[in-house]
Amino acid sequence: MPEQNCPCGSGKSFEKCCNLYLSGQAYPNTAEALMRSRFSAFATGNLPYLRKTWDPATCPELDADDLQNQWTRLEVIRSKQGLKKSIVEFKAWYLQNDIEHEMHEVSLFKLHKKRWVYIEPLPGWP
């Protein structure tokens, strides 16, 4: 059986890319890697990983209903890695009722207990 490409669009196999993070074998060391792994978590329905990688102060109550969309692809536009805060701009596509939609977001990440976590979307690139 051929290896499945990672949903994050890295071109690597899922096993050698985001599954390392989603399975708990490793933790992303950059905000962009975390953002890519979170996309893969949405694409594969990994709710525990999404909760673990969301800042506790901004994490909403998540349940299986939040994972109903079929996420199809990801494009990272740009990222700015800081020492304590980082920003990643991306576009993600998903299917809803067989219609493709695009989500465009500039995301803010911060170090929390020495690990990158997602905080919130920003109104634009700062």
Side-chain angles (χ1 to χ4, degrees), residues 35-104:
M35 198 280 314
R36 287 180 176 279
S37 69
R38 286 175 52 81
F39 176 85
S40 292
F42 273 106
T44 60
N46 190 326
L47 201 55
Y49 185 79
L50 291 169
R51 287 187 187 119
K52 182 174 96 172
T53 57
W54 211 310
D55 182 43
T58 61
C59 186
E61 292 292 322
L62 294 170
D63 61 36
D65 289 341
D66 296 311
L67 301 176
Q68 293 304 309
N69 292 333
Q70 181 185 345
W71 294 92
T72 57
R73 59 192 166 106
L74 173 71
E75 175 193 347
V76 174
I77 298 168
R78 57 184 163 171
S79 61
K80 181 179 177 188
Q81 184 71 31
L83 294 176
K84 294 184 179 176
K85 288 188 178 178
S86 294
I87 301 161
V88 180
E89 182 178 6
F90 67 91
K91 289 182 181 177
W93 287 266
Y94 61 94
L95 292 176
Q96 193 173 51
N97 300 323
D98 293 326
I99 299 170
E100 188 174 56
H101 299 271
E102 176 189 302
M103 178 185 137
H104 183 186

Side-chain angles (χ1 to χ4, degrees), residues 3 5 9 22 30 46-47 57 63 68 82-84 98 106 110 114 116-117 124:
E3 289 187 340
N5 278 345
L22 274 58
T30 67
N46 190 326
L47 201 55
D63 61 36
Q68 293 304 309
L83 294 176
K84 294 184 179 176
D98 293 326
V106 177
K110 75 172 185 179
K114 299 183 181 177
W116 287 106
V117 293

